[in-house]
Amino acid sequence: MASPVTQFLYKQVLYITYSPSLCRLANATFSSLFRRNQIFLGVVFLSAFGLEIVYDTSANRIWDYVNRGRQWKDIKHRYMQTPEDDDEE
């Protein structure tokens, strides 16, 4: 006898597999994005480019949050001196 968790997961897989609305969505996605090789490659490259931008931006924001107060951009004002007008005679 299968456990209740296994039975639940099996029912979910069956629902996802045989759901008419999900099948229509999958067919529409396949016919519009993946049927022709040029379109498929374009979708792959544009997705990779977009995900790379999102990943890079997210990683930079997390790094800046974790290292707040320790980076040069945060402590630069302590060490930089404002230029004085000593050139005038």
Side-chain angles (χ1 to χ4, degrees), residues 6 8 15 18-19 24 26 30 33 35 40-41 45 47 49-51 55-56 58 66 76 79 88:
T6 307
F8 173 76
Y15 174 73
Y18 297 112
S19 172
R24 282 193 298 267
F30 175 76
L33 297 179
R35 183 167 290 219
F40 177 70
L41 288 177
F45 284 118
S47 307
F49 183 72
L51 287 174
Y55 179 79
D56 189 39
S58 301
V66 169
K76 178 173 38 175
Y79 301 102
E88 296 178 16

Side-chain angles (χ1 to χ4, degrees), residues 1-49:
M1 198 78 193
S3 71
V5 173
T6 307
Q7 290 176 353
F8 173 76
L9 290 175
Y10 181 71
K11 287 179 183 178
Q12 294 300 315
V13 168
L14 284 179
Y15 174 73
I16 290 171
T17 306
Y18 297 112
S19 172
S21 61
L22 195 60
C23 287
R24 282 193 298 267
L25 178 65
N27 285 335
T29 303
F30 175 76
S31 63
S32 63
L33 297 179
F34 302 126
R35 183 167 290 219
R36 297 182 62 198
N37 192 37
Q38 298 90 352
I39 304 296
F40 177 70
L41 288 177
V43 167
V44 167
F45 284 118
L46 287 175
S47 307
F49 183 72

Side-chain angles (χ1 to χ4, degrees), residues 33-84:
L33 297 179
F34 302 126
R35 183 167 290 219
R36 297 182 62 198
N37 192 37
Q38 298 90 352
I39 304 296
F40 177 70
L41 288 177
V43 167
V44 167
F45 284 118
L46 287 175
S47 307
F49 183 72
L51 287 174
E52 187 237 342
I53 290 173
V54 169
Y55 179 79
D56 189 39
T57 304
S58 301
N60 283 337
R61 287 188 180 177
I62 291 170
W63 179 266
D64 288 340
Y65 177 75
V66 169
N67 294 306
R68 185 178 42 209
R70 298 182 195 128
Q71 297 180 26
W72 176 247
K73 65 182 180 181
D74 298 330
I75 62 171
K76 178 173 38 175
H77 65 277
R78 295 182 198 165
Y79 301 102
M80 300 292 288
Q81 297 177 357
T82 57
E84 297 177 10

